[in-house]
């Protein structure tokens, strides 16, 4: 579905039919995330998956995970502006994101070497402390730009490209403005805009990272991670040095978090402390993991997709539900009374820009009534991972 999403979105939003005077195409525009929004879902989803990798599979909540995301983002911008010694501004983007991941891996080992001396809420607070130190440092580090508090952008470089270094035909530039677009792809008559190209390029990197994390989770190393989550004392009793396993998991998680940040910087071509190192960036990952399902990995991506889905519906932009209702409903309906409100006042107060309100309510509801999250609950219902149970059930119905 994700692979076909740009085509599904284009088809549904292009429908010219009307139902009860409402254009179906415009209705789908309100309820379906735009393709460029799906690019955001992918790289934030990768960051949320990296958070779930360590927190969902070892049980240690890292409240400072945004630090590794920010390291990846700022490393890309610093290389792009020629401020990293030994790396010219023209360094291939794929090499940059790997180096960003390695740098974050080393930073995670340093942070984890101190933090994993503690457990529970104390571990979470120590990681948060490290992240806040990094946040303050980057806000005042003049080397990154003349006004680091407002962020810094890449000027002069002709976009960052995902692909195989050295092969120009397999390089696809990211970005809504500087990205590549293609007409009549492979003679199929299908045109891909910059948003669609970025969606597939970023999606390819996210998919590789997802498979890598899945492979680690299903390895003997990953089994020890789960054992630590379930009963760390028992894991130690059977001979595992849990400190090194936790430290390794934390480093791997930081590596993939930095790749998510690097994709963000490559797509946006600019970074700021508030959208990289800030505590609320980690909060977005925590929210996505809880809604999607802790300890499911892929659930974090779908949790953030759900977040963006609500944001799109309740946005104040032209594609939001409030603007759609104000433009579609007649003056008589808008002026009609609903209790002490008119319909128009109700829309302005309870719908327009109220995504965070309803997201908070839904978050509380998930914690209370769906603690396993969307994907975790589906797995419980079906009796195993969807990749195994869904094909089996389909074969059963097709016989």
């Amino acid at each position: 579905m994700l692979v076909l999403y740009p085509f599904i979105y284009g088809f549904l939003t292009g429908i010219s039919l009307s139902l009860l005077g409402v254009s179906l195409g415009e209705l789908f525009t309100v309820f379906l995330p735009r393709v460029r929004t799906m690019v955001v879902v992918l790289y934030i989803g990768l960051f949320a998956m990296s958070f779930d990798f360590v927190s969902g599979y070892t049980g240690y909540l890292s409240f400072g995970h945004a630090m590794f995301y920010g390291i990846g983002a700022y490393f890309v911008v610093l290389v792009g502006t020629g401020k990293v010694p030994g790396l010219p501004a023209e360094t291939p983007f794929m090499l940059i994101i790997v180096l960003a991941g390695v740098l974050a891996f080393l930073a995670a080992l340093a942070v984890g070497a101190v933090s994993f001396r503690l457990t529970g809420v104390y571990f979470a607070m120590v990681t948060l402390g490290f992240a806040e130190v990094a946040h303050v440092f980057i806000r005042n580090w003049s080397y990154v730009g003349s006004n680091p508090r407002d962020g810094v952008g890449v000027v002069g470089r002709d976009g960052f490209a995902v692909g195989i270094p050295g092969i120009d035909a397999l390089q696809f530039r990211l970005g809504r403005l500087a990205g590549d677009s293609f007409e009549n792809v492979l003679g199929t008559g299908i045109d891909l805009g910059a948003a669609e190209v970025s969606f597939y390029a970023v999606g390819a990197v996210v998919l590789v990272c997802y498979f890598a994390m899945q492979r680690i989770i299903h390895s003997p190393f990953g089994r020890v991670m789960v054992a630590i989550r379930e009963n760390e004392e028992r894991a130690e009793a059977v001979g595992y040095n849990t400190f090194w396993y936790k430290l390794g998991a934390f480093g791997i998680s930081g590596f993939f978090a930095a790749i998510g940040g690097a994709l963000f910087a490559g797509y946006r071509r600019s970074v700021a402390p508030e959208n990289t190192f800030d505590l609320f960036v980690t909060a977005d990952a925590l929210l996505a993991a809880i809604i999607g399902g802790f300890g499911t990995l892929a659930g974090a991506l779908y949790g953030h997709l759900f977040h963006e889905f609500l944001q799109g519906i309740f946005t104040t932009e032209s594609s939001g539900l409030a603007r759609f209702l104000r433009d579609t409903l007649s003056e008589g309906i808008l002026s009609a009374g609903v209790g002490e409100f008119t319909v128009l006042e109700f829309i302005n107060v309870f719908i327009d820009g109220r995504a965070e309100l309803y997201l908070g309510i839904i978050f509380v509801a998930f914690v209370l009534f769906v603690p396993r999250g969307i994907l975790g609950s589906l797995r419980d219902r079906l009796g195993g991972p969807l990749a195994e149970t869904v094909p089996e059930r389909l074969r059963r119905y097709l016989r």
Side-chain angles (χ1 to χ4, degrees), residues 214-232:
Q214 279 282 20
R215 182 61 267 165
I216 295 170
I217 287 169
H218 290 90
S219 70
F221 180 89
R223 298 303 182 192
V224 178
M225 289 170 57
V226 175
I228 291 171
R229 180 188 67 191
E230 299 300 324
N231 194 319
E232 187 171 352

Side-chain angles (χ1 to χ4, degrees), residues 93-104:
F93 182 60
M94 299 303 292
L95 177 60
I96 296 174
I97 65 176
V98 171
L99 293 176
V102 171
L103 181 61

Side-chain angles (χ1 to χ4, degrees), residues 154-364:
V154 179
V155 180
R157 177 160 177 159
D158 189 24
F160 293 95
V162 169
I164 301 177
I167 303 178
D168 293 339
L170 295 179
Q171 297 286 328
F172 306 98
R173 291 183 305 159
L174 304 178
R176 198 172 40 167
L177 300 177
D180 284 326
S181 60
F182 298 94
E183 297 180 357
N184 192 21
V185 178
L186 299 176
T188 59
I190 298 174
D191 298 335
L192 295 179
E196 287 79 13
V197 173
S198 296
F199 173 78
Y200 287 116
V202 171
V205 177
V206 172
L207 186 65
V208 170
C209 293
Y210 167 74
F211 282 144
M213 284 188 280
Q214 279 282 20
R215 182 61 267 165
I216 295 170
I217 287 169
H218 290 90
S219 70
F221 180 89
R223 298 303 182 192
V224 178
M225 289 170 57
V226 175
I228 291 171
R229 180 188 67 191
E230 299 300 324
N231 194 319
E232 187 171 352
E233 289 79 10
R234 184 173 296 178
E236 290 177 341
V238 297
Y240 291 111
N241 188 331
T242 59
F243 174 81
W244 293 109
Y245 281 93
K246 291 183 294 186
L247 191 61
F250 198 56
I252 294 169
S253 176
F255 177 89
F256 289 110
I259 292 181
L263 291 173
F264 157 73
Y267 179 70
R268 293 280 296 270
R269 293 172 58 82
S270 64
V271 292
E274 280 64 37
N275 54 31
T276 51
F277 283 91
D278 196 83
L279 170 64
F280 289 104
V281 178
T282 301
D284 285 341
L286 175 63
L287 188 66
I290 290 177
I291 291 177
F294 241 78
T296 61
L297 199 62
L301 179 110
Y302 295 109
H304 190 71
L305 175 59
F306 183 79
H307 183 182
E308 292 291 342
F309 169 73
L310 280 185
Q311 289 276 22
I313 292 176
F314 294 102
T315 182
T316 57
E317 297 180 8
S318 59
S319 59
L321 179 60
R323 188 75 62 88
F324 175 79
L325 292 175
R326 287 195 292 260
D327 294 341
T328 303
L329 298 178
S330 65
E331 289 294 332
I333 295 177
L334 291 174
S335 59
V338 179
E340 298 182 358
F341 293 93
T342 65
V343 172
L344 180 60
E345 289 173 338
F346 183 86
I347 292 171
N348 293 336
V349 172
F350 292 101
I351 297 178
D352 199 6
R354 297 296 182 265
E356 300 304 328
L357 167 66
Y358 297 110
L359 187 65
I361 295 172
I362 291 171
F363 175 71
V364 172

